[in-house]
């Protein structure tokens, strides 16, 4: 059984940067596609970014494209989300998730395809 633990969240001013990490334990995630989602207060959870099993392909929500970068280090069993040029509207709890089945990368915008979720890490961007 895989467990996912996010870290790296915090409070940052608009325009700043944060790097989130998602560390997996229990077994390797090297065969899984991985995604980041976020949920702001009073809003539904939304897709942020996804990366395929090798790290060679990535997919982003339009709202973060050009500002966020998803990556992975399979040797460390860890996935990252580098967030630059942060905006107040990026404030949310950020979750990482693992998908154990294979789909087209663009399909991973749908949270129902993910089998394993972390507990989330809070990101707050002040104006």
């Amino acid at each position: 059984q895989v467990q996912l633990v996010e870290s790296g969240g915090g409070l940052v001013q608009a325009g700043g940067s944060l790097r989130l990490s998602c560390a997996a334990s229990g077994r390797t995630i090297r065969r899984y596609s991985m995604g980041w989602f976020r949920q702001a207060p009073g809003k539904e959870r939304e897709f942020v970014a996804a990366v395929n099993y090798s790290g060679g392909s990535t997919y982003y929500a339009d709202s973060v494209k050009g500002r966020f970068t998803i990556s992975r280090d399979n040797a460390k069993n860890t996935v990252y989300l580098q967030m630059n040029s942060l905006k107040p509207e990026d404030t949310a709890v950020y979750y990482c998730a693992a998908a154990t089945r294979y789909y087209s990368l663009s399909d991973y915008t749908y949270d129902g395809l993910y089998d394993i979720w972390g507990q989330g890490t809070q990101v707050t961007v002040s104006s």
Side-chain angles (χ1 to χ4, degrees):
Q1 183 71 18
V2 175
Q3 292 84 40
L4 302 174
V5 178
E6 301 94 334
S7 62
L11 174 64
V12 64
Q13 288 189 331
S17 298
L18 283 174
R19 188 195 197 200
L20 305 184
S21 297
C22 172
S25 62
R27 64 185 299 175
T28 180
I29 58 170
R30 62 185 174 90
R31 296 181 185 274
Y32 301 160
S33 294
M34 301 293 294
W36 284 96
F37 287 76
R38 65 186 182 187
Q39 187 167 21
K43 295 187 176 181
E44 293 187 354
R45 185 165 58 192
E46 66 172 358
F47 169 77
V48 175
V51 61
N52 74 336
Y53 69 98
S54 69
S57 296
T58 57
Y59 196 82
Y60 297 93
D62 288 342
S63 59
V64 306
K65 202 173 295 182
R67 299 188 298 123
F68 292 10
T69 302
I70 188 171
S71 62
R72 65 192 299 161
D73 185 337
N74 284 339
K76 295 183 178 180
N77 228 24
T78 301
V79 178
Y80 304 98
L81 186 68
Q82 177 67 43
M83 305 186 296
N84 299 329
S85 302
L86 282 161
K87 305 175 181 179
E89 51 263 44
D90 294 318
T91 295
V93 177
Y94 283 71
Y95 300 90
C96 77
T100 62
R101 291 159 289 179
Y102 292 109
Y103 300 94
S104 172
L105 192 60
S106 60
D107 290 339
Y108 288 112
T109 60
Y110 173 48
D111 60 2
L113 298 186
Y114 294 84
D115 310 284
I116 305 162
W117 292 82
Q119 84 291 345
T121 185
Q122 176 70 47
V123 171
T124 303
V125 184
S126 64
S127 57

